[in-house]
């Protein structure tokens, strides 16, 4: 599996596990913990979560699975890259510190690897960045970043003191949602800021596409694997598809090894044309 470099030179896996919609049901808890545990056993080393997901429930799922894997000797903490996100209403200077502590408690961890502002809210960016900076100094997160920020938001962020320490921006990116290619993705690449793609399979909408199926047939792969391989082909992009079922986890991991030809990439450009002009940032 290839890796993506952060601004400080550290590299992280280009394919991780998303946990959106996990932690919402007590009945599903054991199956979700088992799914995260299996992902770790299969070699996933980046997990993305948020305090919003299941109102902390997803973080608890991740925390339980990671604790089990470490106790079983399957994993060391330093092999894993854990990402979480703060609600905008908690992102004041002191609020972001308190929110991070709550997330760490649910995750059963002493530190995060990346802590993101989930989207922009009422708190000034300078206050959020100051809180992030304090968390880095205290060793509670190694890096910080943002989510759902467009170019104008990023430029405003870099105008704030220490705003240039932003390591990543997590946005909606899939074959059917290519708007970031016009301005945001080149802007991030020029500054070596990682782009994390959430919903890289467009929430399952790509699985029935005839062209993706046809390309998949050539590679003994599914349409979703082709769609995910396309995202992973983009330089500087980390994909975080969600998967709970064993088959989906294995499919996603195998997509990392699927090499699309130049001709196939051109076919996909014709089927899902890149935008000609900037469009509003897509969000779920």
């Amino acid at each position: 599996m290839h890796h993506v470099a952060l601004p400080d030179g550290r590299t992280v896996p280009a394919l991780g596990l998303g946990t959106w919609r996990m932690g919402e049901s007590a009945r599903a808890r054991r199956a979700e913990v088992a799914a995260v545990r299996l992902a770790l056993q299969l070699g996933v080393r980046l997990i993305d979560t948020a305090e919003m997901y299941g109102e902390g429930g997803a973080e608890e799922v991740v925390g339980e699975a990671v604790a089990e894997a470490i106790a079983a000797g399957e994993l060391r903490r330093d092999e894993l890259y854990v990402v979480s996100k703060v609600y905008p209403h908690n992102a004041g200077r002191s609020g972001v510190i308190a929110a991070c502590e709550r997330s760490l408690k649910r995750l059963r961890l002493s530190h995060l690897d990346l802590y993101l502002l989930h989207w922009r809210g009422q708190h000034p960016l300078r206050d959020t960045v100051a809180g992030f900076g304090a968390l880095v100094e205290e060793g509670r997160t190694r890096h910080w970043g943002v989510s759902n920020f467009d170019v104008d938001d990023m430029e405003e962020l870099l105008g704030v003191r220490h705003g240039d320490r932003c390591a990543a921006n997590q946005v909606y990116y899939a074959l059917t949602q290519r708007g970031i290619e016009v301005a945001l993705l080149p802007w991030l690449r020029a500054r070596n800021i990682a782009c994390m793609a959430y919903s890289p399979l467009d929430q399952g909408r790509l699985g029935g596409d005839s062209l993706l199926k046809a390309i998949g047939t050539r590679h003994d792969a599914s349409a979703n694997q082709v769609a995910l391989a396309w995202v992973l082909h983009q330089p500087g992009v980390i994909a975080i598809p969600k998967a709970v079922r064993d088959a989906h986890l294995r499919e996603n991991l195998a997509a990392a090894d699927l090499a699309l030809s130049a001709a196939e990439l051109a076919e996909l450009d014709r089927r899902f044309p890149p935008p000609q002009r900037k469009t509003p940032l897509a969000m779920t």
Side-chain angles (χ1 to χ4, degrees):
M1 187 185 299
H2 69 281
H3 286 62
V4 170
L6 299 181
D8 67 357
R10 182 173 180 186
T11 61
V12 298
L15 177 62
L17 177 70
T19 62
W20 182 49
R21 304 310 300 267
M22 284 192 190
E24 296 179 356
S25 161
R27 282 189 315 234
R29 176 65 60 94
R30 194 59 232 162
E32 290 171 345
V33 171
V36 176
R37 179 84 181 275
L38 176 62
L40 296 171
Q41 289 169 338
L42 293 174
V44 168
R45 291 296 178 263
L46 185 152
I47 298 181
D48 176 86
T49 190
E51 66 173 343
M52 185 189 87
Y53 301 163
E55 294 299 326
E59 290 177 326
E60 291 174 350
V61 166
V62 172
E64 191 171 336
V66 169
E68 288 179 4
I70 290 173
E74 298 166 357
L75 181 75
R76 296 193 318 270
R77 171 64 184 94
D78 62 3
E79 295 175 307
L80 188 62
Y81 199 86
V82 180
V83 184
S84 194
K85 310 178 202 73
V86 60
Y87 262 129
H89 61 256
N90 287 334
R93 182 171 183 149
S94 59
V96 74
I97 295 169
C100 185
E101 293 298 335
R102 292 192 297 271
S103 287
L104 289 171
K105 187 173 182 181
R106 289 188 289 263
L107 287 161
R108 308 187 197 183
L109 298 175
S110 62
H111 71 274
L112 294 169
D113 296 284
L114 179 64
Y115 196 35
L116 308 176
L117 172 61
H118 210 149
W119 66 90
R120 288 198 71 169
Q122 75 271 30
H123 290 288
L125 290 177
R126 66 177 181 274
D127 292 350
T128 306
V129 171
F132 280 152
L135 287 168
V136 172
E137 293 238 339
E138 293 164 11
R140 304 306 261 168
T141 187
R142 295 192 188 279
H143 300 103
W144 63 265
V146 294
S147 181
N148 297 302
F149 270 44
D150 209 340
V151 174
D152 55 345
D153 302 305
M154 293 301 301
E155 288 179 340
E156 186 179 338
L157 176 65
L158 262 63
V160 170
R161 186 168 183 264
H162 298 319
D164 59 352
R165 295 179 183 174
C166 176
N169 182 16
Q170 186 176 129
V171 293
Y172 198 158
Y173 186 42
L175 268 169
T176 42
Q177 298 287 350
R178 298 182 64 174
I180 66 169
E181 292 177 18
V182 174
L184 180 61
L185 193 51
W187 191 99
L188 294 171
R189 284 176 178 150
R191 290 155 184 82
N192 212 33
I193 296 173
C195 175
M196 297 185 73
Y198 69 78
S199 298
L201 302 176
D202 200 14
Q203 299 178 59
R205 296 185 188 102
L206 291 165
D209 182 82
S210 58
L211 175 61
L212 291 171
K213 284 182 176 179
I215 294 174
T217 300
R218 299 171 207 160
H219 294 271
D220 193 24
S222 69
N224 278 334
Q225 283 178 300
V226 175
L228 185 54
W230 178 86
V231 173
L232 293 170
H233 177 80
Q234 312 306 315
V237 175
I238 299 162
I240 47 167
K242 181 205 169 188
V244 174
R245 288 175 50 200
D246 181 329
H248 289 164
L249 283 167
R250 294 177 191 274
E251 260 198 11
N252 290 348
L253 280 165
D257 298 321
L258 199 165
L260 298 171
S261 69
E264 287 167 339
L265 292 168
E267 283 184 275
L268 291 170
D269 277 347
R270 287 191 292 274
R271 173 73 180 85
F272 304 98
Q276 298 304 305
R277 62 184 66 84
K278 191 179 181 314
T279 55
L281 193 67
M283 286 179 65
T284 54

Short mmCIF file of all heavy atoms in Angstrom, two decimals, residues 226-276:
data_model
loop_
_atom_site.label_atom_id
_atom_site.label_comp_id
_atom_site.label_asym_id
_atom_site.label_seq_id
_atom_site.Cartn_x
_atom_site.Cartn_y
_atom_site.Cartn_z
N VAL A 226 -12.84 -0.52 -8.44
CA VAL A 226 -12.31 0.36 -9.48
C VAL A 226 -12.46 1.82 -9.06
O VAL A 226 -11.53 2.62 -9.21
CB VAL A 226 -13.02 0.11 -10.83
CG1 VAL A 226 -12.56 1.13 -11.88
CG2 VAL A 226 -12.76 -1.31 -11.31
N ALA A 227 -13.62 2.17 -8.50
CA ALA A 227 -13.85 3.55 -8.05
C ALA A 227 -12.87 3.95 -6.95
O ALA A 227 -12.35 5.07 -6.94
CB ALA A 227 -15.29 3.70 -7.55
N LEU A 228 -12.60 3.02 -6.04
CA LEU A 228 -11.67 3.30 -4.96
C LEU A 228 -10.23 3.36 -5.48
O LEU A 228 -9.45 4.23 -5.07
CB LEU A 228 -11.79 2.23 -3.87
CG LEU A 228 -10.97 2.42 -2.60
CD1 LEU A 228 -11.22 3.78 -1.97
CD2 LEU A 228 -11.29 1.30 -1.59
N ALA A 229 -9.88 2.48 -6.40
CA ALA A 229 -8.54 2.50 -7.00
C ALA A 229 -8.30 3.83 -7.71
O ALA A 229 -7.18 4.35 -7.69
CB ALA A 229 -8.38 1.34 -7.98
N TRP A 230 -9.35 4.37 -8.33
CA TRP A 230 -9.22 5.67 -9.01
C TRP A 230 -8.87 6.77 -8.00
O TRP A 230 -7.98 7.60 -8.25
CB TRP A 230 -10.51 6.02 -9.75
CG TRP A 230 -10.45 7.36 -10.42
CD1 TRP A 230 -9.96 7.63 -11.68
CD2 TRP A 230 -10.83 8.61 -9.87
NE1 TRP A 230 -10.04 8.98 -11.94
CE2 TRP A 230 -10.56 9.61 -10.84
CE3 TRP A 230 -11.39 9.01 -8.65
CZ2 TRP A 230 -10.83 10.97 -10.63
CZ3 TRP A 230 -11.65 10.36 -8.43
CH2 TRP A 230 -11.36 11.32 -9.41
N VAL A 231 -9.54 6.79 -6.85
CA VAL A 231 -9.23 7.80 -5.82
C VAL A 231 -7.80 7.62 -5.33
O VAL A 231 -7.05 8.59 -5.19
CB VAL A 231 -10.23 7.71 -4.65
CG1 VAL A 231 -9.81 8.63 -3.50
CG2 VAL A 231 -11.64 8.08 -5.11
N LEU A 232 -7.40 6.37 -5.09
CA LEU A 232 -6.06 6.10 -4.58
C LEU A 232 -4.98 6.43 -5.61
O LEU A 232 -3.82 6.63 -5.24
CB LEU A 232 -5.95 4.63 -4.16
CG LEU A 232 -6.79 4.24 -2.94
CD1 LEU A 232 -6.81 2.73 -2.76
CD2 LEU A 232 -6.27 4.93 -1.67
N HIS A 233 -5.36 6.50 -6.87
CA HIS A 233 -4.41 6.87 -7.94
C HIS A 233 -4.05 8.35 -7.88
O HIS A 233 -3.01 8.76 -8.42
CB HIS A 233 -5.02 6.52 -9.30
CG HIS A 233 -4.18 6.92 -10.47
ND1 HIS A 233 -3.10 6.17 -10.90
CD2 HIS A 233 -4.24 8.01 -11.29
CE1 HIS A 233 -2.55 6.77 -11.94
NE2 HIS A 233 -3.22 7.88 -12.21
N GLN A 234 -4.88 9.17 -7.23
CA GLN A 234 -4.66 10.61 -7.20
C GLN A 234 -3.54 10.94 -6.20
O GLN A 234 -3.64 10.58 -5.03
CB GLN A 234 -5.95 11.35 -6.81
CG GLN A 234 -7.19 10.91 -7.58
CD GLN A 234 -7.02 10.97 -9.08
OE1 GLN A 234 -6.51 11.94 -9.62
NE2 GLN A 234 -7.45 9.92 -9.77
N PRO A 235 -2.51 11.65 -6.63
CA PRO A 235 -1.39 11.96 -5.73
C PRO A 235 -1.84 12.81 -4.53
O PRO A 235 -2.65 13.73 -4.67
CB PRO A 235 -0.43 12.76 -6.62
CG PRO A 235 -0.81 12.39 -8.02
CD PRO A 235 -2.28 12.15 -8.00
N GLY A 236 -1.29 12.48 -3.36
CA GLY A 236 -1.55 13.26 -2.16
C GLY A 236 -2.91 13.05 -1.54
O GLY A 236 -3.33 13.81 -0.67
N VAL A 237 -3.63 11.99 -1.97
CA VAL A 237 -5.00 11.76 -1.48
C VAL A 237 -5.05 10.48 -0.65
O VAL A 237 -4.54 9.43 -1.04
CB VAL A 237 -6.00 11.66 -2.65
CG1 VAL A 237 -7.40 11.30 -2.15
CG2 VAL A 237 -6.05 12.98 -3.42
N ILE A 238 -5.70 10.59 0.52
CA ILE A 238 -5.95 9.46 1.43
C ILE A 238 -7.43 9.14 1.35
O ILE A 238 -8.27 10.04 1.47
CB ILE A 238 -5.59 9.84 2.88
CG1 ILE A 238 -4.10 10.19 3.01
CG2 ILE A 238 -5.97 8.73 3.85
CD1 ILE A 238 -3.76 10.98 4.26
N ALA A 239 -7.79 7.89 1.13
CA ALA A 239 -9.20 7.49 1.04
C ALA A 239 -9.61 6.75 2.30
O ALA A 239 -8.87 5.91 2.80
CB ALA A 239 -9.42 6.59 -0.18
N ILE A 240 -10.81 7.08 2.80
CA ILE A 240 -11.27 6.46 4.05
C ILE A 240 -12.69 5.89 3.89
O ILE A 240 -13.64 6.38 4.52
CB ILE A 240 -11.20 7.45 5.24
CG1 ILE A 240 -11.79 8.82 4.85
CG2 ILE A 240 -9.78 7.62 5.73
CD1 ILE A 240 -12.04 9.73 6.03
N PRO A 241 -12.85 4.86 3.06
CA PRO A 241 -14.17 4.25 2.92
C PRO A 241 -14.59 3.54 4.21
O PRO A 241 -13.75 3.00 4.92
CB PRO A 241 -13.98 3.23 1.79
CG PRO A 241 -12.53 2.87 1.88
CD PRO A 241 -11.82 4.13 2.30
N LYS A 242 -15.90 3.56 4.48
CA LYS A 242 -16.41 2.82 5.63
C LYS A 242 -16.73 1.39 5.18
O LYS A 242 -17.19 1.18 4.06
CB LYS A 242 -17.68 3.47 6.16
CG LYS A 242 -18.26 2.75 7.38
CD LYS A 242 -19.73 2.98 7.52
CE LYS A 242 -20.32 2.05 8.57
NZ LYS A 242 -21.78 2.10 8.62
N ALA A 243 -16.47 0.43 6.03
CA ALA A 243 -16.84 -0.96 5.74
C ALA A 243 -17.07 -1.68 7.06
O ALA A 243 -16.28 -1.53 7.99
CB ALA A 243 -15.76 -1.66 4.94
N VAL A 244 -18.14 -2.44 7.14
CA VAL A 244 -18.42 -3.25 8.33
C VAL A 244 -18.36 -4.73 7.98
O VAL A 244 -17.87 -5.55 8.76
CB VAL A 244 -19.80 -2.89 8.93
CG1 VAL A 244 -20.15 -3.83 10.08
CG2 VAL A 244 -19.81 -1.45 9.42
N ARG A 245 -18.82 -5.07 6.77
CA ARG A 245 -18.83 -6.48 6.37
C ARG A 245 -17.44 -6.94 5.95
O ARG A 245 -16.68 -6.20 5.31
CB ARG A 245 -19.83 -6.68 5.23
CG ARG A 245 -21.28 -6.58 5.68
CD ARG A 245 -22.25 -6.66 4.52
NE ARG A 245 -21.95 -7.83 3.67
CZ ARG A 245 -22.37 -7.92 2.41
NH1 ARG A 245 -23.04 -6.92 1.85
NH2 ARG A 245 -22.08 -9.00 1.70
N ASP A 246 -17.13 -8.18 6.31
CA ASP A 246 -15.84 -8.80 6.01
C ASP A 246 -15.49 -8.65 4.53
O ASP A 246 -14.38 -8.23 4.16
CB ASP A 246 -15.94 -10.29 6.40
CG ASP A 246 -14.66 -11.07 6.16
OD1 ASP A 246 -13.91 -10.72 5.24
OD2 ASP A 246 -14.41 -12.04 6.90
N ALA A 247 -16.43 -8.98 3.65
CA ALA A 247 -16.16 -8.94 2.21
C ALA A 247 -15.80 -7.53 1.74
O ALA A 247 -14.92 -7.36 0.89
CB ALA A 247 -17.38 -9.46 1.43
N HIS A 248 -16.50 -6.53 2.29
CA HIS A 248 -16.22 -5.14 1.88
C HIS A 248 -14.84 -4.70 2.36
O HIS A 248 -14.13 -3.99 1.64
CB HIS A 248 -17.30 -4.21 2.44
CG HIS A 248 -18.62 -4.36 1.76
ND1 HIS A 248 -19.79 -3.88 2.29
CD2 HIS A 248 -18.95 -4.95 0.58
CE1 HIS A 248 -20.79 -4.16 1.48
NE2 HIS A 248 -20.30 -4.81 0.44
N LEU A 249 -14.46 -5.09 3.56
CA LEU A 249 -13.13 -4.76 4.07
C LEU A 249 -12.05 -5.33 3.16
O LEU A 249 -11.11 -4.64 2.79
CB LEU A 249 -12.96 -5.31 5.49
CG LEU A 249 -13.63 -4.55 6.63
CD1 LEU A 249 -13.62 -5.40 7.90
CD2 LEU A 249 -12.93 -3.23 6.89
N ARG A 250 -12.21 -6.60 2.80
CA ARG A 250 -11.22 -7.25 1.95
C ARG A 250 -11.20 -6.64 0.56
O ARG A 250 -10.13 -6.47 -0.05
CB ARG A 250 -11.50 -8.76 1.88
CG ARG A 250 -11.31 -9.45 3.23
CD ARG A 250 -11.66 -10.93 3.15
NE ARG A 250 -11.71 -11.52 4.49
CZ ARG A 250 -10.67 -12.00 5.15
NH1 ARG A 250 -9.47 -11.95 4.60
NH2 ARG A 250 -10.80 -12.52 6.35
N GLU A 251 -12.37 -6.29 0.04
CA GLU A 251 -12.47 -5.63 -1.27
C GLU A 251 -11.71 -4.31 -1.27
O GLU A 251 -10.96 -4.00 -2.19
CB GLU A 251 -13.95 -5.34 -1.60
CG GLU A 251 -14.59 -6.32 -2.54
CD GLU A 251 -15.86 -5.76 -3.16
OE1 GLU A 251 -16.15 -4.55 -3.02
OE2 GLU A 251 -16.57 -6.54 -3.79
N ASN A 252 -11.95 -3.50 -0.23
CA ASN A 252 -11.32 -2.18 -0.17
C ASN A 252 -9.80 -2.30 -0.12
O ASN A 252 -9.08 -1.54 -0.79
CB ASN A 252 -11.83 -1.41 1.04
CG ASN A 252 -13.28 -0.98 0.90
OD1 ASN A 252 -13.86 -1.06 -0.19
ND2 ASN A 252 -13.89 -0.55 1.99
N LEU A 253 -9.31 -3.22 0.69
CA LEU A 253 -7.86 -3.40 0.79
C LEU A 253 -7.26 -3.87 -0.53
O LEU A 253 -6.19 -3.42 -0.94
CB LEU A 253 -7.53 -4.38 1.91
CG LEU A 253 -7.58 -3.77 3.32
CD1 LEU A 253 -7.59 -4.86 4.37
CD2 LEU A 253 -6.40 -2.85 3.54
N ALA A 254 -7.96 -4.76 -1.22
CA ALA A 254 -7.46 -5.25 -2.50
C ALA A 254 -7.43 -4.14 -3.55
O ALA A 254 -6.60 -4.16 -4.47
CB ALA A 254 -8.32 -6.41 -2.99
N ALA A 255 -8.32 -3.15 -3.42
CA ALA A 255 -8.36 -2.04 -4.38
C ALA A 255 -7.06 -1.25 -4.38
O ALA A 255 -6.70 -0.63 -5.39
CB ALA A 255 -9.53 -1.11 -4.05
N ALA A 256 -6.34 -1.27 -3.26
CA ALA A 256 -5.07 -0.55 -3.18
C ALA A 256 -4.03 -1.11 -4.14
O ALA A 256 -3.09 -0.42 -4.52
CB ALA A 256 -4.54 -0.57 -1.75
N ASP A 257 -4.20 -2.36 -4.55
CA ASP A 257 -3.25 -3.01 -5.46
C ASP A 257 -3.74 -3.04 -6.91
O ASP A 257 -3.08 -3.61 -7.77
CB ASP A 257 -2.97 -4.45 -4.99
CG ASP A 257 -2.33 -4.48 -3.62
OD1 ASP A 257 -1.49 -3.61 -3.34
OD2 ASP A 257 -2.70 -5.36 -2.81
N LEU A 258 -4.89 -2.43 -7.15
CA LEU A 258 -5.47 -2.44 -8.50
C LEU A 258 -4.88 -1.27 -9.30
O LEU A 258 -5.10 -0.11 -8.96
CB LEU A 258 -6.99 -2.33 -8.40
CG LEU A 258 -7.83 -2.76 -9.60
CD1 LEU A 258 -9.29 -2.93 -9.18
CD2 LEU A 258 -7.76 -1.74 -10.72
N ALA A 259 -4.14 -1.59 -10.34
CA ALA A 259 -3.49 -0.54 -11.16
C ALA A 259 -4.31 -0.30 -12.41
O ALA A 259 -4.45 -1.19 -13.26
CB ALA A 259 -2.08 -0.97 -11.52
N LEU A 260 -4.85 0.90 -12.53
CA LEU A 260 -5.63 1.27 -13.71
C LEU A 260 -4.70 1.77 -14.81
O LEU A 260 -3.75 2.51 -14.54
CB LEU A 260 -6.65 2.36 -13.35
CG LEU A 260 -7.69 1.96 -12.30
CD1 LEU A 260 -8.50 3.18 -11.87
CD2 LEU A 260 -8.61 0.88 -12.83
N SER A 261 -4.96 1.37 -16.04
CA SER A 261 -4.13 1.80 -17.16
C SER A 261 -4.47 3.23 -17.57
O SER A 261 -5.54 3.76 -17.19
CB SER A 261 -4.34 0.88 -18.36
OG SER A 261 -5.65 1.08 -18.89
N ALA A 262 -3.60 3.84 -18.34
CA ALA A 262 -3.86 5.20 -18.85
C ALA A 262 -5.14 5.21 -19.66
O ALA A 262 -5.93 6.17 -19.59
CB ALA A 262 -2.68 5.68 -19.67
N ALA A 263 -5.37 4.17 -20.44
CA ALA A 263 -6.59 4.09 -21.25
C ALA A 263 -7.83 4.01 -20.37
O ALA A 263 -8.86 4.64 -20.66
CB ALA A 263 -6.51 2.88 -22.18
N GLU A 264 -7.74 3.24 -19.29
CA GLU A 264 -8.88 3.12 -18.38
C GLU A 264 -9.14 4.43 -17.65
O GLU A 264 -10.29 4.83 -17.45
CB GLU A 264 -8.63 1.98 -17.40
CG GLU A 264 -8.76 0.61 -18.07
CD GLU A 264 -8.22 -0.53 -17.23
OE1 GLU A 264 -7.40 -0.28 -16.32
OE2 GLU A 264 -8.61 -1.68 -17.49
N LEU A 265 -8.08 5.11 -17.25
CA LEU A 265 -8.25 6.42 -16.61
C LEU A 265 -8.92 7.39 -17.58
O LEU A 265 -9.77 8.20 -17.17
CB LEU A 265 -6.90 6.96 -16.14
CG LEU A 265 -6.26 6.18 -14.98
CD1 LEU A 265 -4.80 6.61 -14.81
CD2 LEU A 265 -7.03 6.41 -13.68
N ALA A 266 -8.55 7.33 -18.86
CA ALA A 266 -9.17 8.19 -19.87
C ALA A 266 -10.65 7.83 -20.05
O ALA A 266 -11.50 8.73 -20.20
CB ALA A 266 -8.43 8.06 -21.19
N GLU A 267 -10.97 6.54 -20.03
CA GLU A 267 -12.38 6.11 -20.09
C GLU A 267 -13.18 6.70 -18.94
O GLU A 267 -14.31 7.17 -19.12
CB GLU A 267 -12.45 4.59 -20.01
CG GLU A 267 -12.10 3.81 -21.26
CD GLU A 267 -12.32 2.31 -21.04
OE1 GLU A 267 -11.40 1.64 -20.52
OE2 GLU A 267 -13.41 1.82 -21.37
N LEU A 268 -12.59 6.67 -17.75
CA LEU A 268 -13.28 7.19 -16.57
C LEU A 268 -13.46 8.70 -16.65
O LEU A 268 -14.47 9.25 -16.21
CB LEU A 268 -12.52 6.78 -15.30
CG LEU A 268 -12.56 5.28 -14.98
CD1 LEU A 268 -11.60 4.93 -13.87
CD2 LEU A 268 -13.98 4.85 -14.61
N ASP A 269 -12.48 9.39 -17.26
CA ASP A 269 -12.61 10.84 -17.45
C ASP A 269 -13.77 11.16 -18.40
O ASP A 269 -14.45 12.18 -18.23
CB ASP A 269 -11.31 11.43 -18.01
CG ASP A 269 -10.28 11.70 -16.92
OD1 ASP A 269 -10.65 11.68 -15.74
OD2 ASP A 269 -9.10 11.93 -17.27
N ARG A 270 -13.96 10.31 -19.38
CA ARG A 270 -15.08 10.55 -20.31
C ARG A 270 -16.42 10.26 -19.64
O ARG A 270 -17.40 10.97 -19.86
CB ARG A 270 -14.91 9.69 -21.57
CG ARG A 270 -13.80 10.16 -22.50
CD ARG A 270 -13.84 9.47 -23.85
NE ARG A 270 -13.49 8.04 -23.76
CZ ARG A 270 -12.25 7.58 -23.79
NH1 ARG A 270 -11.22 8.41 -23.93
NH2 ARG A 270 -12.02 6.27 -23.72
N ARG A 271 -16.44 9.23 -18.82
CA ARG A 271 -17.70 8.85 -18.14
C ARG A 271 -18.02 9.81 -16.99
O ARG A 271 -19.18 10.14 -16.74
CB ARG A 271 -17.56 7.42 -17.61
CG ARG A 271 -18.72 6.93 -16.74
CD ARG A 271 -19.96 6.65 -17.57
NE ARG A 271 -21.04 6.18 -16.70
CZ ARG A 271 -21.87 6.98 -16.03
NH1 ARG A 271 -21.77 8.28 -16.14
NH2 ARG A 271 -22.82 6.44 -15.28
N PHE A 272 -16.99 10.24 -16.28
CA PHE A 272 -17.15 11.17 -15.15
C PHE A 272 -16.25 12.37 -15.40
O PHE A 272 -15.15 12.47 -14.85
CB PHE A 272 -16.74 10.48 -13.83
CG PHE A 272 -17.48 9.20 -13.55
CD1 PHE A 272 -16.90 7.96 -13.86
CD2 PHE A 272 -18.74 9.22 -12.99
CE1 PHE A 272 -17.58 6.78 -13.59
CE2 PHE A 272 -19.43 8.04 -12.73
CZ PHE A 272 -18.85 6.81 -13.03
N PRO A 273 -16.69 13.29 -16.26
CA PRO A 273 -15.80 14.38 -16.71
C PRO A 273 -15.31 15.25 -15.55
O PRO A 273 -16.10 15.62 -14.67
CB PRO A 273 -16.66 15.19 -17.66
CG PRO A 273 -17.80 14.29 -18.04
CD PRO A 273 -18.02 13.40 -16.85
N PRO A 274 -14.02 15.59 -15.55
CA PRO A 274 -13.53 16.54 -14.55
C PRO A 274 -14.18 17.90 -14.79
O PRO A 274 -14.48 18.25 -15.94
CB PRO A 274 -12.02 16.58 -14.80
CG PRO A 274 -11.83 16.05 -16.18
CD PRO A 274 -12.96 15.12 -16.45
N PRO A 275 -14.44 18.66 -13.73
CA PRO A 275 -15.12 19.95 -13.91
C PRO A 275 -14.25 20.95 -14.68
O PRO A 275 -13.02 20.91 -14.60
CB PRO A 275 -15.35 20.42 -12.47
CG PRO A 275 -14.32 19.70 -11.66
CD PRO A 275 -14.09 18.39 -12.34
N GLN A 276 -14.91 21.81 -15.42
CA GLN A 276 -14.21 22.84 -16.18
C GLN A 276 -14.04 24.13 -15.40
O GLN A 276 -13.21 24.97 -15.72
CB GLN A 276 -14.97 23.12 -17.49
CG GLN A 276 -15.07 21.91 -18.40
CD GLN A 276 -13.71 21.33 -18.75
OE1 GLN A 276 -12.83 22.04 -19.27
NE2 GLN A 276 -13.49 20.05 -18.45
#
